[in-house]
Amino acid sequence: KLSLVIERLLVVLKEGSGWRAIHGPDVAWSTVYAHFRRWTKEGIFAELSQTLPRESTLESRLGAMDSTHVKVHRSGCNPAGGQSAQAIGTARGGRNTKIHAIVADNGEPLAMSFTGGNNHDNPQARGLINAMDTDAGVGTLIADRAYDANATRAAIEAAGCDVCIPPKANRIAPATYDQATFARRHVVENFWEVLKRLRRVSTRYEKLKQSFEAVVHLAILVQHLRGQFQSAQFRRASSF
């Protein structure tokens, strides 16, 4: 019966279905949801996604840091403890959750955090850098102009990485950066695209931040096992 629970859970992940929509004579929707909540509270999805086999490299490699907005469905807009406590904020596009991540050039997520959609990228950078796996072998960290701040640059250098961030236009003494290296920042955008093929990630239906984090970790696990993160160029384009 556990295989049926996992099968229905994957349907929810891919199609964005409501929990009651997966009810059937072989397994009740409440059973699937109970398993999901228990595994979420125990941190099973996060642990599995973080223990996936990583591609080891002897050479230093690139990492890219960025964020993406996820629209919050009306069913997730009234969480216990208030919206801000559950990483929901109001931006120009309405209620959003923002996922921040550092992604290696082969598509491996190295660090991740969740905030409300009205939070700026740069304040989250130091936490991501400190949480980055030191064994990942990242030699250069790429980010866009939103991360151009002295504190962020210092944090990247303190982590033993070279900085590749284009300077803002108002910089008195703008720093130089390698444009060819910066062009490879697309790997983090590809990472978001791969995750958002799954509708439960592209739109947030969960009221609780903990539950949405579990959905994202499950999505990483599923897409990794399907080989979507195996190529640095993300050349594979199969449907789920």
Side-chain angles (χ1 to χ4, degrees), residues 12-19 33 36-37 40 68-90 93-100 113-119 195-216 219:
V12 172
L13 177 66
K14 167 60 179 174
E15 301 298 338
S17 306
W19 293 106
Y33 181 73
F36 171 75
R37 283 299 299 159
T40 296
T68 187
H69 284 271
V70 178
K71 185 76 172 180
V72 181
H73 191 266
R74 62 172 295 176
S75 61
C77 287
N78 188 27
Q83 294 181 350
S84 60
Q86 302 300 335
I88 299 175
T90 302
R95 294 180 178 85
N96 286 268
T97 291
K98 212 170 191 180
I99 310 175
H100 309 261
S113 65
F114 298 76
T115 66
N118 56 332
N119 285 265
L195 285 187
K196 287 186 174 182
R197 294 175 192 173
L198 308 177
R199 293 184 179 179
R200 202 80 183 190
V201 177
S202 59
T203 301
R204 173 177 169 175
Y205 296 90
E206 281 68 35
K207 291 184 178 182
L208 301 181
K209 174 185 175 183
Q210 182 188 53
S211 294
F212 184 61
E213 289 177 350
V215 167
V216 173

Side-chain angles (χ1 to χ4, degrees), residues 14-231:
K14 167 60 179 174
E15 301 298 338
S17 306
W19 293 106
R20 294 178 186 272
I22 60 172
H23 184 81
D26 47 358
V27 60
W29 73 268
S30 56
T31 302
V32 180
Y33 181 73
H35 277 80
F36 171 75
R37 283 299 299 159
R38 183 169 72 252
W39 293 337
T40 296
K41 292 177 181 178
E42 294 175 356
I44 300 297
F45 298 115
E47 183 177 351
L48 288 175
S49 70
Q50 292 167 7
T51 56
L52 289 170
R54 304 297 190 188
E55 177 183 310
S56 60
T57 55
L58 298 177
E59 301 177 357
S60 63
R61 53 182 178 163
L62 301 176
M65 178 167 56
D66 202 5
S67 67
T68 187
H69 284 271
V70 178
K71 185 76 172 180
V72 181
H73 191 266
R74 62 172 295 176
S75 61
C77 287
N78 188 27
Q83 294 181 350
S84 60
Q86 302 300 335
I88 299 175
T90 302
R92 285 182 295 178
R95 294 180 178 85
N96 286 268
T97 291
K98 212 170 191 180
I99 310 175
H100 309 261
I102 296 177
V103 179
D105 55 2
N106 66 340
E108 297 172 5
L110 304 176
M112 187 173 293
S113 65
F114 298 76
T115 66
N118 56 332
N119 285 265
H120 194 270
D121 292 345
N122 203 35
Q124 314 304 319
R126 186 176 301 180
L128 287 174
I129 296 166
N130 293 337
M132 185 172 58
D133 187 357
T134 55
D135 297 330
V138 175
T140 302
L141 189 58
I142 309 168
D144 59 25
R145 285 184 175 84
Y147 296 93
D148 180 29
N150 294 336
T152 301
R153 291 179 177 273
I156 294 173
E157 292 172 351
C161 302
D162 296 331
V163 181
C164 184
I165 301 176
K168 292 180 179 178
N170 60 355
R171 278 277 189 179
I172 297 176
T176 60
Y177 73 102
D178 185 74
Q179 294 186 10
T181 300
F182 181 74
R184 298 181 65 182
R185 193 187 72 87
H186 68 87
V187 295
V188 68
E189 302 293 349
N190 295 345
F191 174 76
W192 301 132
E193 189 276 329
V194 168
L195 285 187
K196 287 186 174 182
R197 294 175 192 173
L198 308 177
R199 293 184 179 179
R200 202 80 183 190
V201 177
S202 59
T203 301
R204 173 177 169 175
Y205 296 90
E206 281 68 35
K207 291 184 178 182
L208 301 181
K209 174 185 175 183
Q210 182 188 53
S211 294
F212 184 61
E213 289 177 350
V215 167
V216 173
H217 285 298
L218 178 59
I220 292 172
L221 176 63
V222 169
Q223 298 294 56
H224 180 94
L225 294 176
R226 295 181 58 245
Q228 299 301 298
F229 299 138
Q230 300 306 311
S231 170

